[in-house]
Amino acid sequence: MTTLPPDPALKLVLGSGSPRRLELLGQLGVTPFAVSAPDIDEDVHNGELPRDYVNRIAAEKAAAVQIDDGEVLLCADTTVALGRRIIGKPANAGEAATFLHALSGRRHKVITSVAVKRGTQIWQKDVQSTVAMKQLSDQEVNAYLASSDWQGKAGGYAIQGPAGAFIPWINGSYTGIVGLPLTETAGLLIAAGFPIYGERS
């Protein structure tokens, strides 16, 4: 991976409207100069595998946001995979219930792809984590649905919310499951010349 020299004058644009990604960036001590959420078609292609899908969407998000010289763009996409099946964001509570019952008592993967763009160059990496969900009772599912925490969440749940009580075990990146793997994100930003740990103007 090509690494550019650090430029303290670079400004970061977050290509995501996710408040969770904004909070995670804050853990790195980084506040974006601007937030520009791309509007792209996120439909799954026929036969597309989860890892291929999430990498394609992250790259398309990065391509869709225009940035100026002196700016670095950070985009990401997260999906939940049950085997080869992609479980996206539920359209309504009924679909969220279907997703939760499918995941109940099983292990699944959460894949987040991060894409960083500077000029015409893109640095990209995906992170896969394995998540175990305990066997859920109807009472647990109904209570979670009533919380509305499932809305806008891949797989119909968020590990950092009430559904954390459903997750006894993970193997991988907790921040990747939330939506932005910090170790890899920091590495990509540094490669693009954005000084995570140095002085910024």
Side-chain angles (χ1 to χ4, degrees), residues 2-126:
T2 305
T3 299
L4 300 180
D7 181 351
L10 281 176
K11 295 177 178 179
L12 179 67
V13 176
L14 176 61
S16 171
S18 164
R20 297 170 298 283
R21 293 192 177 117
L22 191 60
E23 290 170 6
L24 287 167
L25 268 181
Q27 290 182 219
L28 294 175
V30 174
T31 302
F33 164 72
V35 175
S36 180
D39 182 18
I40 65 166
D41 179 0
E42 298 188 28
D43 288 347
V44 180
H45 292 170
N46 287 336
E48 194 168 28
L49 295 176
R51 187 178 182 186
D52 294 337
Y53 167 76
V54 78
N55 279 311
R56 176 177 65 82
I57 294 299
E60 289 184 4
K61 286 180 177 179
V65 178
Q66 300 300 312
I67 56 173
D68 296 328
D69 291 340
E71 294 180 347
V72 171
L73 173 70
L74 170 65
C75 293
D77 192 68
T78 301
T79 199
V80 170
L82 189 59
R84 296 166 63 94
R85 178 185 173 193
I86 295 170
I87 302 182
K89 298 172 184 175
N92 50 50
E95 190 168 41
T98 299
F99 289 171
L100 290 168
H101 284 300
L103 298 172
S104 173
R106 303 177 68 179
R107 292 183 181 182
H108 60 273
K109 291 192 182 300
V110 178
I111 311 167
T112 294
S113 180
V114 181
V116 170
K117 180 172 76 171
R118 181 179 174 188
T120 59
Q121 191 167 354
I122 291 181
W123 295 259
Q124 187 167 2
K125 187 173 182 62
D126 65 72

